[in-house]
Amino acid sequence: VSEDELKQAKVVLKNAILEGIETRVDKTLLLSESKNDFYGKERLKLMLDAIDKVSAEDLRACANYVFSSAPVTSIVGSANTLKALNLS
């Protein structure tokens, strides 16, 4: 992951979060929920700050962890469908 890709991904993620609280109703709901939240009204700022702190090395470490074991594939289908796929 290049620094430019990472920067763009951060912008997209932060925009998605902020678009989720555009209306007054959304903002009111966020404030209401923050009363019972451990982080309180600082939750949004802390999330955006955490996104800014993610590095390319963090992503590599995460990918290495997630993809370090053999993948597991599950397929759901009828017996005829599975037989037709010849997955043995």
Side-chain angles (χ1 to χ4, degrees):
V1 175
S2 72
E3 287 300 320
D4 286 339
E5 289 172 317
L6 180 57
K7 187 183 292 186
Q8 183 63 29
K10 289 178 181 183
V11 168
V12 169
L13 180 56
K14 291 191 316 187
N15 281 339
I17 291 169
L18 293 172
E19 285 173 0
I21 58 164
E22 261 185 0
T23 68
R24 286 184 179 178
V25 172
D26 295 330
K27 290 176 185 174
T28 301
L29 181 61
L30 180 68
L31 286 172
S32 175
E33 290 174 346
S34 71
K35 291 188 314 185
N36 299 322
D37 191 316
F38 176 78
Y39 298 104
K41 63 183 180 182
E42 294 294 312
R43 179 179 186 73
L44 179 62
K45 181 184 179 326
L46 291 170
M47 282 189 341
L48 298 176
D49 289 347
I51 291 168
D52 285 334
K53 291 178 184 175
V54 173
S55 69
E57 182 54 39
D58 294 331
L59 292 179
R60 278 189 285 281
C62 181
N64 285 334
Y65 175 77
V66 169
F67 298 112
S68 65
S69 59
V72 175
T73 304
S74 299
I75 299 176
V76 177
S78 69
N80 288 338
T81 300
L82 296 175
K83 185 175 181 180
L85 290 174
N86 192 21
L87 300 172
S88 56

